Amino acid sequence: DQQVKQNSPSLSVQEGRISILNCDYTNSMFDYFLWYKKYPAEGPTFLISISSIKDKNEDGRFTVFLNKSAKHLSLHIVPSQPGDSAVYFCAASVAYSGAGSYQLTFGKGTKLSVIP
Amino acid sequence: DGGITQSPKYLFRKEGQNVTLSCEQNLNHDAMYWYRQDPGQGLRLIYYSQIVNDFQKGDIAEGYSVSREKKESFPLTVTSAQKNPTAFYLCASSIGRSGANVLTFGAGSRLTVL
């Protein structure tokens, strides 16, 4: 049973345009969400996070939006650059409830291709 | 520079052999993790350790074993009992035991069973 879902395996965007990557979750206990970026044959690197008390977090070109009622989050990249081409993983955890197991649950990833 | 070192980067194994993947961190992180990535799949947790001499099974622990004798080291052994061991293995660490901590990943080890 997949608790974190990234329904789009791939996404292609023109350089300079906005990239929107989506993620849905089913576990209502999740209260902390992260996005990781991964290049081939490398480990994932942390990109941005958001806790459930917020609905938006911004860091430069990257913004994450959280809609708790819909159990949905999205990552916006503006403007998109060719170097952003990578696989993006959404991850979630139960961080603040006191009942967490300190684990991150990952989605299957979305491969973003930014076309010059 | 602080980070996580995984070795070897590439490893080939014959069926029936056990292999051990090394993971060392110099970040002074308490928690360490092993994940497995298969094509088209997310990262799945194999084992994690929150403190020295203690570790817990993740979602797919069958056929794997770990040890945590030192804070810096968390080796993973892929045993012959693992039915489909060919995969990309990722080691990670985090500063504490809260789920709000960011994981830092190593560069990964690719295991291929011949």
Side-chain angles (χ1 to χ4, degrees):
Chain A
D1 182 29
Q2 230 184 320
Q3 297 187 68
V4 178
K5 300 178 184 179
Q6 294 178 257
N7 292 320
S8 297
S10 62
L11 175 68
S12 290
V13 173
Q14 286 290 130
E15 181 179 3
R17 305 294 290 269
I18 184 171
S19 295
I20 300 176
L21 295 94
N22 294 304
C23 178
D24 298 294
Y25 61 96
T26 57
N27 186 345
S28 58
M29 294 291 290
F30 287 147
D31 53 16
Y32 189 67
F33 305 89
L34 307 90
W35 285 93
Y36 280 83
K37 175 180 178 179
K38 185 182 180 301
Y39 294 116
E42 294 184 10
T45 54
F46 170 71
L47 198 55
I48 193 169
S49 65
I50 188 168
S51 71
S52 59
I53 61 172
K54 294 185 174 183
D55 54 18
K56 177 183 174 181
N57 189 27
E58 194 171 354
D59 183 3
R61 296 186 297 115
F62 303 91
T63 302
V64 56
F65 295 93
L66 175 62
N67 183 334
K68 284 179 290 184
S69 61
K71 294 191 179 67
H72 177 83
L73 63 154
S74 61
L75 174 68
H76 292 210
I77 306 173
V78 183
S80 301
Q81 299 174 354
D84 296 330
S85 297
V87 177
Y88 288 80
F89 289 100
C90 173
S93 71
V94 181
Y96 302 110
S97 71
S101 61
Y102 318 116
Q103 298 180 35
L104 282 183
T105 301
F106 285 84
K108 291 187 176 183
T110 296
K111 183 177 181 180
L112 174 65
S113 299
V114 180
I115 304 163
Chain B
D1 285 340
I4 297 179
T5 301
Q6 289 188 240
S7 62
K9 191 166 180 66
Y10 299 97
L11 184 62
F12 298 90
R13 183 193 100 176
K14 293 181 180 179
E15 282 193 33
Q17 288 181 333
N18 292 354
V19 293
T20 297
L21 307 180
S22 170
C23 178
E24 303 279 333
Q25 55 102 355
N26 60 3
L27 299 165
N28 200 32
H29 284 175
D30 288 318
M32 297 187 74
Y33 313 79
W34 274 104
Y35 284 88
R36 167 179 172 147
Q37 187 191 12
D38 295 284
Q41 299 291 320
L43 281 63
R44 292 183 291 169
L45 184 65
I46 304 172
Y47 268 98
Y48 64 102
S49 168
Q50 298 168 20
I51 196 169
V52 173
N53 292 323
D54 186 45
F55 47 83
Q56 288 79 40
K57 292 181 179 180
D59 299 321
I60 56 166
E62 185 176 351
Y64 299 97
S65 66
V66 293
S67 62
R68 187 87 186 275
E69 297 177 2
K70 298 187 299 182
K71 186 176 184 178
E72 303 80 18
S73 179
F74 192 41
L76 173 74
T77 297
V78 184
T79 75
S80 56
Q82 169 49 233
K83 299 302 180 190
N84 186 19
T86 295
F88 189 56
Y89 291 88
L90 287 158
C91 179
S93 69
S94 65
I95 194 167
R97 293 179 276 169
S98 164
N101 289 309
V102 172
L103 267 60
T104 300
F105 283 87
S109 294
R110 181 165 297 281
L111 172 63
T112 302
V113 173
L114 304 173

